[in-house]
Amino acid sequence: MDSPPVIPDHDVLRMIGSGAFGEIWLARGRTGALRAVKIVYRSTFDDERSFQREFDGMSGFEPFSREHPGFVDVLHVGRDVNDAFFYYIMELADDVSAGADQENIDWNGYTPRTLRSDLEKQHRLPTKQIVELGASIAGALGELHDNGLTHRDIKPANIIFVEGRPKIADIGLVAATGQQTFVGTEGYVPPEGPGTPAADLYSLGKVLYELATGRDRLDFPELPEDIERFPDKKTLLELNPILLKACARDANRRYASAFEMEADLREIIAPAQKKSSTGIVIACILAAASIGIVRIVFSPDNAPGTPVDIEVTASPKGATVILDTTVLTSPARFRNIEPGTHNLHVMREGFGPVDRRITVAGGKNIKITDITLQRSHGSIEIRTQPAGGRISLDGPIEPAGLEKPVRHDSPEPLVLKNLPAGTYRVTAHLATSSLEQVVNVTSGEPLSIVLRFAKGSAKITSAPSGATVIRDGLEIGETPLLIEDLTPGIVHFVLRKPGFRDTTIEGKINASTQSFLAVRLEKHGRTEPGKPFNNSLGMKFVPLGDIWIAITETEVGSYQQYAKTTDTAGTPQEGMSANPVTNVNWEEAMAFCRWLTDRERSAGFIGNNFEYRLPADAEWSLAALMPDEGGDTPEIRDGRLKNLFPWGKAWPPPHDAGNFGGAVDGFERTAPVACFSPNALGLYDLGGNVWEWCLDSYNAGNRDWGVLRGGSYTSKKRTELLASYRNVIDRTEHDPTYGFRCVLAPVNTK
């Protein structure tokens, strides 16, 4: 935005966040308190009904937000007086540097404290703190879900701290349960996509995993190799089964409700209710290990005798090795193992486990190197709907370890038996469409997959609207735009609107549903320092010092657009559209420049700190490649250089130098611009065709004298065609030989 939005009783200080769903501004209320203000623009929505629905939803959420300490408090919801946007005022997150002390917050450098910022500073957080935080967020999600809503983008950046307490932020993403609009962040979104309570809990589990391990959520469920040194590994072990359940690939195996997850988390931090049975701990470990989780837990009870080390190397590499209740990864070295009988369990996802009992006599270390896990096998049947597709299967992606990877490609149905267990990538093709899915083959029940090629749709909207939507290089309409019969999968569109940056919008199309894709276009100026540019009329400009100058004189076609738009009477013109406009006086040329400035600013081609105008006399000399003429005014510089012309030093003019009087060039009057050779800067017709008005006055008396440069199609005297010659004319005068060219310059420069 060019200026801050107007919010009643608040001084809006600066924008601190933006996205497709709105902008967040830092504001100070009349009491002096700093607040966050979310702006949701009417132009983001297709119609008034959709905009009103969002406003009503946030109005209803306002009191609800204050009922649970895990939500950011929404303090007020209101609308702009012109109905251009609605807004809601929220409590402000603590500052990363100043904390909750608002008196010491430097609002110019304010940065909200979030879980993401904490994680970046500490790498990982203490597990007890994580469990308390997770219980609070799970409870807040439970309240949200009980009211038929989901958040859809739980991640560390969307959990802020207010007075040191964690709270769910970005409430603008809250939607009715089941809404299919694809939002969310890779790695936090479950395989089936966002929009359900189970999906929110999956995201929360990934957040807690990152906080507890210091690893990226994409590494789940792996743990750091140095976890045995963690001072809080016991609590981390108790947290593990909760993370496994929350982040189960199958949504049906996750928590039935957020309150159930909250209860399990609170059980960890309620000592009286903790499960202390070693058998229960071992069960948790085995459950973790069965899906590839590495866990290190309590050491076995000591037995009398001399302890030894036991080294276990299993194939394939990376297998989980459990000795009694201690869990390591192969190759594993268990230290100080007491004499006696011990249970060894080796496993890896996709392989059958191996169990052994080991007797330790004491005094001599033990090496075990003969354990080789055998790959489990399962079966799968894959079909397409409608029938007739072609299916390929590749893998396994995980776990690796096959000497020869599996690949099958055939018409559907694809039926495979005795297939090595693991995760495979399946791709189905039907006509020009394709679907891809990741499937998990196990040794259990045969897996039956149907890949359906049902179509979906997308509603594309932009702020502002009216952007051209381009797909695969073809223009398919303008926003807001509904597109039917889209093949499920990821789609990309380019949105293009004059004055705004081309924006690529990406979304996921789901079968039989409508996806909503929205984006706020970003304004930009087309000018870049030192580079040529074309404006909205197609006029071409090249850099000239700190300004840009048109490479040709202003054409009839460009001037006619101005005349039609402003209803200018008696349009001065000469010849065809590509010929230079003639018969304009100084004020009419300047009026065109003012109109062009307003047009280009509104379209976003130039900023408010730039303007179109006539070239100053000294700028025109610079464009004509003239050396320093000396003197501060046109009248002092007039005629000083006696042997230099716009085309060089030759006289008479070369045949391709320009359109002059007496020349045999085929043009009775003006010639189309750019007919003759340009100078070294790429500028045309600085000599001949039409006299060009300059910005300066020529102080030669009491009248308003102006300066014209370059000669015209009637000029044939050597003196008139000198580059240093100034034609001094009353600025109100019209003549068929008077025209102009434009420059673009920073405001208040000359």
Side-chain angles (χ1 to χ4, degrees):
M1 292 185 60
D2 293 333
S3 59
V6 177
I7 306 298
D9 299 320
H10 285 77
D11 294 325
V12 180
L13 304 176
R14 71 178 180 90
M15 188 190 299
I16 56 176
S18 65
F21 292 90
E23 300 169 346
I24 301 177
W25 291 75
L26 181 66
R28 189 185 301 279
R30 291 292 174 257
T31 63
L34 292 173
R35 303 295 186 200
V37 181
K38 182 75 174 272
I39 307 296
V40 181
Y41 290 95
R42 166 65 181 84
S43 57
T44 305
F45 298 87
D46 298 329
D47 50 54
E48 181 62 33
R49 184 177 62 179
S50 301
F51 181 64
Q52 183 65 40
R53 183 173 62 245
E54 293 295 323
F55 174 75
D56 292 342
M58 187 50 62
S59 298
F61 183 76
E62 176 198 344
F64 169 62
S65 71
R66 299 190 290 272
E67 292 180 3
H68 194 282
F71 290 123
V72 170
D73 289 354
V74 177
L75 308 174
H76 177 69
V77 179
R79 293 181 84 133
D80 170 47
V81 293
N82 298 317
D83 213 27
F85 60 82
F86 74 80
Y87 62 89
Y88 47 99
I89 301 170
M90 302 171 285
E91 56 185 342
L92 189 69
D94 299 342
D95 182 52
V96 166
S97 301
D101 183 4
Q102 291 200 355
E103 292 185 1
N104 290 321
I105 289 179
D106 175 12
W107 63 265
N108 283 306
Y110 165 80
T111 302
R113 181 192 169 194
T114 66
L115 274 184
R116 175 56 62 198
S117 64
D118 276 15
L119 196 56
E120 289 172 351
K121 291 170 63 175
Q122 302 182 49
H123 181 59
R124 66 175 294 267
L125 306 183
T127 307
K128 185 174 183 296
Q129 178 183 340
I130 295 166
V131 173
E132 292 173 343
L133 180 148
S136 175
I137 299 302
L141 287 174
E143 295 290 341
L144 195 69
H145 298 161
D146 273 4
N147 282 267
L149 300 171
T150 58
H151 187 277
R152 302 184 296 159
D153 198 20
I154 296 294
K155 59 183 178 182
N158 281 344
I159 298 176
I160 68 171
F161 289 88
V162 179
E163 296 184 351
R165 294 186 308 238
K167 296 194 174 192
I168 299 175
D170 211 344
I171 301 300
L173 292 175
V174 167
T177 297
Q179 182 168 318
Q180 293 299 312
T181 307
F182 191 86
V183 297
T185 303
E186 181 186 7
Y188 300 110
V189 179
E192 73 276 8
T196 65
D200 278 352
L201 298 184
Y202 179 98
S203 302
L204 177 58
K206 286 296 191 76
V207 169
L208 300 183
Y209 168 79
E210 284 192 318
L211 299 177
T213 66
R215 301 194 67 157
D216 190 274
R217 74 272 187 187
L218 298 177
D219 294 335
F220 181 87
E222 297 178 7
L223 292 181
E225 295 179 358
D226 60 346
I227 189 174
E228 194 167 7
R229 300 195 209 126
F230 286 16
D232 55 352
K233 66 179 180 181
K234 179 175 179 290
T235 309
L236 186 53
L237 172 66
E238 294 174 315
L239 174 62
N240 175 58
I242 296 174
L243 301 184
L244 296 176
K245 188 171 183 178
C247 299
R249 179 177 291 273
D250 184 352
N252 295 323
R253 299 177 61 187
R254 296 182 206 142
Y255 281 98
S257 74
F259 293 127
E260 182 183 334
M261 183 175 177
E262 178 190 18
D264 279 1
L265 289 167
R266 295 200 182 280
E267 186 175 347
I268 295 177
I269 54 180
Q273 300 177 11
K274 284 185 180 178
K275 297 180 176 72
S276 59
S277 166
T278 302
I280 294 176
V281 172
I282 294 174
C284 293
I285 296 170
L286 296 179
S290 69
I291 66 165
I293 293 288
V294 178
R295 281 293 178 268
I296 298 175
V297 296
F298 307 109
S299 298
D301 295 333
N302 292 334
T306 304
V308 301
D309 290 353
I310 299 177
E311 185 175 332
V312 180
T313 303
S315 178
K317 185 180 178 181
T320 298
V321 183
I322 305 174
L323 183 67
D324 295 328
T325 58
T326 302
V327 183
L328 296 175
T329 301
S330 175
R333 189 179 186 89
F334 301 89
R335 301 182 183 278
N336 300 317
I337 305 302
E338 300 290 341
T341 301
H342 299 270
N343 294 316
L344 180 68
H345 184 84
V346 182
M347 60 186 168
R348 186 176 178 187
E349 182 182 8
F351 295 82
V354 171
D355 289 287
R356 288 188 184 179
R357 289 181 65 80
I358 301 173
T359 300
V360 177
K364 185 177 180 180
N365 292 339
I366 299 173
K367 286 188 177 182
I368 301 173
T369 61
D370 62 342
I371 296 178
T372 300
L373 302 181
Q374 299 300 316
R375 177 82 66 165
S376 301
H377 289 76
S379 61
I380 188 171
E381 178 179 348
I382 309 172
R383 299 178 180 272
T384 63
Q385 188 181 62
R390 189 170 188 88
I391 299 171
S392 63
L393 178 142
D394 295 277
I397 305 168
E398 286 290 342
L402 288 182
E403 293 182 3
K404 185 177 181 181
V406 175
R407 175 171 176 79
H408 290 276
D409 187 285
S410 73
E412 67 94 28
L414 177 64
V415 180
L416 299 172
K417 297 181 179 180
N418 200 31
L419 184 66
T423 302
Y424 291 81
R425 181 178 292 104
V426 175
T427 306
H429 300 275
L430 184 66
T432 59
S433 300
S434 63
L435 294 176
E436 187 174 290
Q437 184 171 325
V438 173
V439 299
N440 190 32
V441 177
T442 67
S443 58
E445 292 292 324
L447 183 63
S448 180
I449 301 293
V450 178
L451 298 178
R452 294 178 172 83
F453 282 86
K455 300 293 186 178
S457 62
K459 188 64 171 288
I460 304 176
T461 188
S462 66
S465 60
T468 299
V469 181
I470 302 169
R471 186 182 188 193
D472 297 330
L474 299 176
E475 297 182 2
I476 58 177
E478 292 187 349
T479 58
L481 180 66
L482 176 63
I483 307 175
E484 305 280 3
D485 296 327
L486 290 173
T487 300
I490 302 299
V491 293
H492 301 83
F493 302 95
V494 174
L495 272 60
R496 179 171 297 159
K497 186 176 177 67
F500 295 83
R501 296 186 186 276
D502 283 3
T503 301
T504 299
I505 187 169
E506 175 184 295
K508 182 179 181 181
I509 303 301
N510 296 305
S512 304
T513 59
Q514 182 186 111
S515 297
F516 179 65
L517 309 179
V519 67
R520 175 168 288 279
L521 302 178
E522 180 183 351
K523 280 188 175 183
H524 75 95
R526 299 294 176 131
T527 58
E528 296 183 47
K531 294 185 178 181
F533 82 100
N534 296 353
N535 70 7
S536 63
L537 294 182
M539 298 169 66
K540 298 179 180 181
F541 290 76
V542 294
L544 183 72
D546 294 333
I547 68 171
W548 289 263
I549 186 167
I551 67 172
T552 67
E553 295 153 337
T554 303
E555 300 172 39
V556 170
S558 298
Y559 198 89
Q560 284 179 332
Q561 291 194 52
Y562 153 69
K564 292 176 183 177
T565 304
T566 58
D567 195 25
T568 300
T571 305
Q573 55 184 320
E574 170 69 31
M576 304 296 291
S577 176
N579 287 56
V581 65
T582 65
N583 210 33
V584 291
N585 64 22
W586 184 90
E587 179 53 44
E588 288 166 343
M590 285 295 290
F592 173 86
C593 293
R594 290 191 293 269
W595 168 80
L596 186 56
T597 298
D598 292 341
R599 172 192 170 96
E600 298 281 289
R601 286 178 178 174
S602 299
F605 273 79
I606 63 173
N608 290 335
N609 57 332
F610 282 88
E611 65 179 352
Y612 287 94
R613 57 169 172 78
L614 296 175
D617 180 75
E619 292 168 347
W620 198 98
S621 295
L622 185 63
L625 304 175
M626 298 176 65
D628 185 8
E629 299 172 273
D632 296 330
T633 62
E635 56 266 29
I636 295 176
R637 296 189 289 263
D638 192 6
R640 280 196 170 188
L641 301 180
K642 304 298 185 183
N643 296 304
L644 183 65
F645 305 92
W647 56 85
K649 294 185 177 181
W651 184 264
H655 74 279
D656 62 344
N659 179 19
F660 308 111
V664 181
D665 52 25
F667 300 103
E668 183 179 351
R669 304 184 73 181
T670 61
V673 299
C675 276
F676 300 93
S677 298
N679 71 1
L681 296 177
L683 305 179
Y684 295 88
D685 298 318
L686 288 170
N689 224 11
V690 293
W691 289 100
E692 299 178 14
W693 285 108
C694 289
L695 186 66
D696 308 60
S697 296
Y698 195 105
N699 298 322
N702 296 326
R703 295 179 64 181
D704 188 14
W705 298 103
V707 176
L708 290 159
R709 303 285 299 272
S712 74
Y713 63 87
T714 65
S715 300
K716 53 186 177 181
K717 294 181 179 179
R718 185 179 188 281
T719 303
E720 285 186 347
L721 289 174
L722 286 170
S724 62
Y725 181 76
R726 275 75 174 174
N727 191 5
V728 183
I729 302 294
D730 189 306
R731 284 179 168 175
T732 64
E733 291 292 327
H734 297 89
D735 191 89
T737 64
Y738 299 168
F740 66 98
R741 78 175 66 218
C742 299
V743 299
L744 174 68
V747 175
N748 298 325
T749 62
K750 177 181 175 181

